[in-house]
Every structure is written in structure tokens, then in C-alpha cells.
Amino acid sequence: MEKLISNNNPMEKLISNNNQLQRPLPEEYIFPLEKRPGKLPVSACKFVPVIDLDETAGDSRAVISQKILKASQEFGFFQVINHGVPEDLMKDTMSMFKKFFDLPAEDKAIFYTEDARSKKYCNLFPSSMIYATEDVHLWRDNLKHDCHPLEKCILDWPEKPTGYRKVVGSYATEVTKMVPRILELIGEGLGLESGYFEGKLGGVSSLSVNHYPPCPDPSLTLGLSKHCDPNLITILLQDDVCGLQIFKDNEWIGVDPVPHAFVVNIGYQLQIMSNNKLKSVEHRAVTNSRTARTSVAFFFTPRDDIMIEPARDLIDASNPQVFRACQFLEFLRYYMAKNGTDEDALEHFKLRA
């Protein structure tokens, strides 16, 4: 079967730059049969809880923290509204990213790389950071921003489209302010002392923007393979196109976009800190043949200088410690060595009876 790209122009590896998409899906994007999304309809998940953060004042706060706890245990995901990030800023940020991927190839070329070790604070990858070694390519283009410290990283960000740095920088600031509020509610739901997560953020925060152009045959490929996030917590901004799916009760179910909401995803580090009370759920992204989809994941990680371990208040005779203490970097190196595809990266860090 004909390949999608030539070897003469690496930028052709970006799907958003290729003008010959209306043809059979190229073989290098076709997943093995057991990993394909297939042609069967997938359940639409309208039951992932939507949490109204305006209700956290007064007597309702305890109720909301318990709702978050239940969602984090049952789904590993929940959505939040009335979170304090201005709706216009969310809309403008998504618009900036869509405009970026529509830019001419020469404007995106300065960010393009296939080197996972790039030291730049903003990189544009085809498929993933391991393009040269992956068995099958993802049907996406991926733009990564380092965001900490923001005043330094932003100088490496795109200047086109006009206003990009101002809008995306403001977005990063507002989302960063929201995360401690959510972590505090999670801590309250678990019964931890106030401020337990304070100071544990701040190692590295990063934005990962996934752009999924229309696909010739969505049944054969994936925009993002199944995985759990290795970090502490992820804040996802979706556009209005469906594509996010979580694996629950032995089936893939779609997480319907909610206007002006963020999807909050429990990462592996929160599962460790909660002594396995919270769950990081497998999720993936599927494509469609009609409409481009863009999603914006904001990853928050623990600080490098602390040990990640279960909270002492969650350990007793009836709830023994599940995981050993480890540095986040140790965990991340193990996770990355498996290319993020380990069936359960946490097993390596569990204490043995």
C-alpha cells in the first residue's frame, strides 16, 4: 500500500500539512486488529459526573467533595463547570490552537521536531515523541508547551497567530489557579488534612495540544492509544467534537463534551497518594471522517524533590499501604521506558505481601 509521506520533506509527516488524505488509510497508521476501535457503536457516557464548583460554598461543600470522590473512584474522570476560568478565554484559547494548525507549513516548521530530547519549550511532533521507533503512527499532530516557569517558557511559544502568547499564557495562568481548588476538594473527600496537596505541585506543568484531522477510515486507527496518565492530575479542554473514550466495565464509552466544562482526569500519582482509593482510568481518542477535533490537555506533576507515597492518614490495619514510596522521576522513567503502553505501570511499584 502507498505510504502517506515521502522522505524528502519531513513536514509531510504532519497530517494537518498533507493534502492527500482522501484515499485509503496509509498502512503505517493501521493498528493491529485487537487494538482497532472497530465499526461497532460505542456507548455515549452521559453519566460522567458534572461538578458545579459554584456549589462548594457553605454547607454544600462536603456534598461536592463526596461527589468528586465518588466520581474519582468510579470513573477516574469527572467534569467541572463554574470553575472560574472565563468562558471567553477558553473559547479564545481553543481558537488559537485551531488557527495554529491551519497555518502554512513554513510557519509551523520552526517548532517541528522528531527528537524527544528537544530542549525547546515548545515542540510540534508528528504522531508522538517517538515517531521513529513506534510500530504504528497515531492519527494526530501534537503541539507541546512547557509552562513552568511561564515567563521563561512563553518566549519559545509561537507568535502566530497574532495574540497567541497572550491568550495561551492567560489560559495557563487561570487553569493553574484552578487546580489547587480541585485538589483541596479531593483531599477533603479523602479525609486528609487541609492543604495536604499544597506544595506538591510545581515540578513541571505542560500543555499538550492534540489535533486530529478527518480520517479516511476511523475504524482502523486511533488518535491516541489507550493509556493512563503518569502525572498527578490532568485538566482537559475539549471542543464540541466527540472523540474521548474511557474504558469502564469492559467497554469503551464516549465522554460527551459539556459546554464550558473541563474534564478532570485522575493521574497515577493521585492513585498512589490515595493508597489506591482513587483510580486512574484507561482512556483513548478516536477519530472521525468528517470533522477535525482539537483537545488541550494540561498536565500537572509533583515536585521533583518530594517522595510520592500513600498519605499516612489513609493507612491503617484494615487499609495497609499498597505502594512503596518513589520519586516521580523514577516512576516516569519506568513509564516512558514502556512507551506509556504498560498494561499497569503501577504494578511495578506495589508492595508485595
Side-chain angles (χ1 to χ4, degrees):
M1 185 178 292
E2 187 179 9
K3 285 184 170 290
L4 173 66
I5 59 170
S6 68
N7 294 322
N8 297 325
N9 181 8
M11 285 285 287
E12 288 184 12
K13 295 175 184 175
L14 292 176
I15 300 173
S16 56
N17 280 2
N18 197 283
N19 296 318
Q20 302 181 46
L21 302 183
Q22 302 306 315
R23 59 181 181 181
L25 188 70
E27 61 182 341
E28 62 265 34
Y29 292 86
I30 297 177
F31 275 75
L33 184 62
E34 67 276 9
K35 295 184 178 181
R36 297 174 192 172
K39 296 181 181 295
L40 295 176
V42 186
S43 302
C45 185
K46 299 181 179 179
F47 306 106
V48 171
V50 178
I51 309 295
D52 188 342
L53 293 186
D54 261 356
E55 298 179 6
T56 56
D59 295 339
S60 297
R61 185 175 179 89
V63 174
I64 294 301
S65 66
Q66 287 302 311
K67 285 184 178 179
I68 290 176
L69 180 64
K70 183 179 179 181
S72 300
Q73 293 171 328
E74 184 177 353
F75 292 94
F77 272 77
F78 54 92
Q79 302 202 55
V80 292
I81 58 173
N82 294 322
H83 36 64
V85 180
E87 293 177 3
D88 285 348
L89 180 59
M90 297 170 71
K91 179 180 177 181
D92 291 346
T93 300
M94 183 61 76
S95 176
M96 283 293 172
F97 291 134
K98 290 178 180 289
K99 288 178 180 177
F100 174 85
F101 285 105
D102 284 340
L103 288 173
E106 56 268 24
D107 290 328
K108 291 182 284 190
I110 58 175
F111 303 100
Y112 181 85
T113 184
E114 296 169 37
D115 182 6
R117 298 167 298 178
S118 171
K119 301 299 183 183
K120 294 191 297 183
Y121 295 123
C122 187
N123 293 287
L124 178 59
F125 295 98
S127 178
S128 74
M129 297 170 67
I130 56 170
Y131 185 94
T133 59
E134 62 193 12
D135 295 330
V136 184
H137 302 317
L138 299 169
W139 192 263
R140 69 163 185 174
D141 297 335
N142 177 237
L143 180 66
K144 291 188 182 299
H145 301 61
D146 285 347
C147 298
H148 182 82
L150 182 60
E151 63 275 10
K152 181 178 181 180
C153 295
I154 201 170
L155 300 177
D156 252 6
W157 292 4
E159 294 186 272
K160 294 181 181 180
T162 302
Y164 185 103
R165 291 181 179 178
K166 180 179 179 180
V167 170
V168 178
S170 296
Y171 175 81
T173 298
E174 292 300 317
V175 175
T176 300
K177 290 191 296 187
M178 176 184 69
V179 167
R181 293 178 58 201
I182 295 174
L183 288 174
E184 184 70 8
L185 287 164
I186 290 173
E188 291 172 17
L190 289 168
L192 299 175
E193 63 181 341
S194 178
Y196 177 80
F197 293 107
E198 187 176 344
K200 292 180 172 62
L201 286 170
V204 176
S205 58
S206 61
L207 272 173
S208 180
V209 186
N210 292 321
H211 183 68
Y212 310 99
C215 178
D217 192 341
S219 70
L220 300 178
T221 192
L222 287 166
L224 194 58
S225 300
K226 71 172 184 176
H227 68 288
C228 292
D229 289 351
N231 53 296
L232 190 69
I233 194 169
T234 303
I235 307 297
L236 181 74
L237 174 63
Q238 300 193 82
D239 61 15
D240 57 0
V241 181
C242 295
L244 174 64
Q245 297 179 347
I246 63 174
F247 194 66
K248 186 179 186 300
D249 299 330
N250 294 313
E251 68 172 338
W252 287 101
I253 53 180
V255 180
D256 294 345
V258 173
H260 315 304
F262 288 109
V263 177
V264 181
N265 176 18
I266 302 300
Y268 271 148
Q269 304 308 303
L270 266 182
Q271 186 166 341
I272 292 173
M273 290 182 182
S274 72
N275 201 37
N276 222 29
K277 291 184 180 295
L278 307 181
K279 302 297 182 183
S280 183
V281 70
E282 285 185 326
H283 54 286
R284 69 182 185 183
V286 297
T287 63
N288 72 83
S289 60
R290 304 172 306 280
T291 311
R293 175 175 178 262
T294 303
S295 66
V296 185
F298 210 148
F299 299 112
F300 291 86
T301 68
R303 279 181 20 214
D304 289 346
D305 60 346
I306 64 169
M307 296 297 289
I308 304 300
E309 59 186 337
R312 293 298 164 188
D313 288 346
L314 301 179
I315 300 171
D316 56 33
S318 58
N319 296 284
Q321 183 172 339
V322 176
F323 302 102
R324 66 176 175 85
C326 67
Q327 286 191 323
F328 174 65
L329 287 180
E330 178 192 354
F331 183 95
L332 187 62
R333 287 189 182 115
Y334 177 83
Y335 179 93
M336 296 303 291
K338 301 291 185 179
N339 291 336
T341 60
D342 193 288
E343 290 298 321
D344 189 355
L346 288 180
E347 286 295 323
H348 182 73
F349 295 89
K350 282 186 176 179
L351 293 171
R352 306 302 172 188

